[in-house]
């Protein structure tokens, strides 16, 4: 049998996982979730949830992947062959969820692409802050432009997956992710210096507990899973490529902290500008597309050239970060179609493009002509996003921790997490980690999930 590919080094593991984790979830989704769910309280719960629940789930997923050395579709069946049929359904879900997310994620990828084009035309630097602010509303409510952008974005990503030039993109993202980091820090410096920005800083730092309710928990947990690419088979699959002498706890903690930091930094870049621009923090998915151009426009009045360059680099980095995430989402479906049905990769890519592209068009139109279709106060796009992160991801993550905690043997899990006892620190921590995986994670996820539906 051909030996399974491995990531070359610890750095490569963390880069690959961080590449999947860091994406629109951090830059686009996190700030708007914070704005919709009470500011600092949300940030606080998000941090605690990431460390106490998501990190153990992450370790469980990577353990399952490395132990089974199989992609997410077959991992559970392989570890528990007696109940193969049952786990097949869970495996199928782990293929379905990323494709479901892909449909609306690539709509936002399209928005980013449009904003990159706009920044290349110097539109943000030339326009007044008010004009730039108004651009977003007219853009998303129009019919064709957002649809074309979504399809173009998805087509480019599908083409990359079909050509198999993923490694090139991965190398490219190694450059752009650190660049995005630097750009975000620059933006923070500028954003907090804007008049009126201090209210935004306070909004992120000073918890207002009257804003706190069960929903905040569900959304914070969903955001944490979404951002760490949990509950959708991605980390299980990546785990299967991790070398057997790699330290799983260090790689997981490294990725989680990196991802957390990135989200919080994005919050500090964006929220102060939201307040300075007088934008409503609960404005929803458009938040960064309204506030960031405002920064560039006001910066442009003072330093037009700097502002033009930073705006182009910023949106370029976002587009690339989104692309690396989308590529890994497409890859799950393509690998499945290829392995199970022997479909050639280009054909599988085309199929994913047609299906997800078509559903994505509906999501895109839900900001314009289809905005009248609302269910429990949510348009189609919001429903997709809500259903994925607050229902599907939670259920899937729950299943994985229960599987690792109750179906896999404790000794096997121990063996994997401590590398056969060779990682002595992990051996000391194992009792605690196992307790978090077996009890804390499933009980918290289930409790939050159920309470949300009852209340
Ligand atoms: N975690 C990514 C983000 O934050 C989204 C993603 C999920 C990417 C799952 C790949 C797999 O944007």
């Amino acid at each position: 049998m051909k030996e399974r590919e491995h990531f070359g080094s610890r750095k490569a593991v963390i880069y690959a996982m961080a590449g999947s984790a860091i994406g629109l979830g951090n830059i686009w989704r996190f700030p708007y979730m914070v704005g919709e769910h009470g500011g600092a309280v949300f940030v606080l719960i998000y941090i605690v949830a990431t460390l106490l629940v998501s990190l153990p789930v992450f370790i469980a997923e990577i353990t399952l992947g490395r132990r089974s050395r199989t992609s997410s579709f077959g991992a559970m069946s392989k570890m528990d062959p007696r109940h193969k049929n049952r786990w097949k359904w869970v495996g199928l879900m782990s293929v379905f969820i990323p494709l479901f997310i892909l449909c609306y994620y690539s709509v936002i990828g399209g928005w980013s692409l449009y904003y990159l084009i706009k920044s290349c035309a110097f539109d943000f630097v030339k326009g007044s802050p008010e004009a730039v602010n108004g651009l977003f509303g007219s853009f998303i409510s129009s019919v064709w432009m957002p649809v074309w952008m979504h399809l173009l974005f998805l087509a480019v990503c599908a083409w990359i997956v079909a050509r198999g030039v993923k490694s090139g993109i991965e190398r490219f993202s190694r450059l752009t992710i650190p660049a995005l980091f630097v750009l975000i820090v620059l933006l923070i410096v500028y954003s907090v210096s804007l008049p009126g920005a201090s209210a935004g800083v306070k909004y992120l730092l000073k918890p207002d507990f009257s804003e706190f309710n069960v929903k905040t928990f569900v959304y914070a947990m969903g955001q944490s899973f979404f951002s760490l690419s949990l509950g959708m088979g991605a980390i299980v699959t990546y785990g299967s490529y991790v070398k057997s002498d790699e330290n799983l706890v260090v790689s997981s903690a490294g990725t989680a902290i990196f991802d957390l930091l990135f989200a919080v930094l994005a919050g500090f870049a964006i929220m102060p500008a939201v307040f300075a621009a007088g934008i409503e923090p609960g404005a929803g998915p458009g938040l960064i597309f309204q506030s960031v151009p405002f920064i560039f426009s006001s910066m442009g009045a003072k330093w037009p050239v700097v502002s033009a360059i930073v705006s182009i680099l910023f949106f370029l980095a976002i587009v690339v970060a989104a692309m690396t995430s989308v590529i890994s989402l497409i890859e799950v479906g393509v690998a499945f179609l290829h392995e199970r049905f022997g479909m050639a990769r280009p054909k599988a890519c085309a199929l994913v493009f047609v299906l997800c592209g078509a559903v994505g068009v509906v999501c895109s139109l839900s900001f314009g002509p289809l905005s009248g279709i609302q269910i429990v106060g949510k348009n189609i796009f919001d429903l997709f996003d809500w259903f994925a992160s607050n229902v599907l991801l939670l259920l899937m993550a729950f299943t994985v921790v229960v599987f690792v905690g109750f179906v896999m043997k404790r000794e096997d899990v121990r063996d994997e997490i401590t590398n056969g006892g060779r990682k002595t620190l992990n051996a000391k921590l194992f009792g605690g980690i196992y307790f978090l995986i077996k009890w804390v994670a499933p009980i918290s996820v289930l409790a939050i999930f159920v309470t949300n539906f009852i209340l």
Side-chain angles (χ1 to χ4, degrees), residues 332-376:
V332 181
V334 170
F336 172 72
L337 290 171
H338 182 65
E339 278 170 24
R340 289 286 299 179
F341 303 108
M343 199 182 272
R345 283 178 65 90
K347 210 169 159 193
C349 287
L351 184 63
V352 169
F353 170 74
V354 171
L355 282 180
C356 297
V359 180
V361 167
V362 179
C363 293
S364 175
L365 293 177
S366 71
F367 292 102
L370 302 183
S371 61
I373 304 178
Q374 300 252 341
I375 300 169
V376 287

Side-chain angles (χ1 to χ4, degrees), residues 296-317:
F296 293 132
S297 164
S298 75
M299 197 192 258
K302 281 190 225 161
W303 305 297
V305 180
V306 178
S307 172
I309 295 172
V310 176
S311 66
I312 293 172
L313 291 178
F314 184 78
F315 282 109
L316 180 66

Side-chain angles (χ1 to χ4, degrees), residues 20-26 105 226-229 232 234 259 325 328-329:
S20 164
I22 295 175
L24 293 173
N26 307 62
Y105 196 94
F226 185 93
S227 189
L228 275 174
S229 309
M232 40 189 137
D259 188 65
S325 296
S328 66
L329 291 170

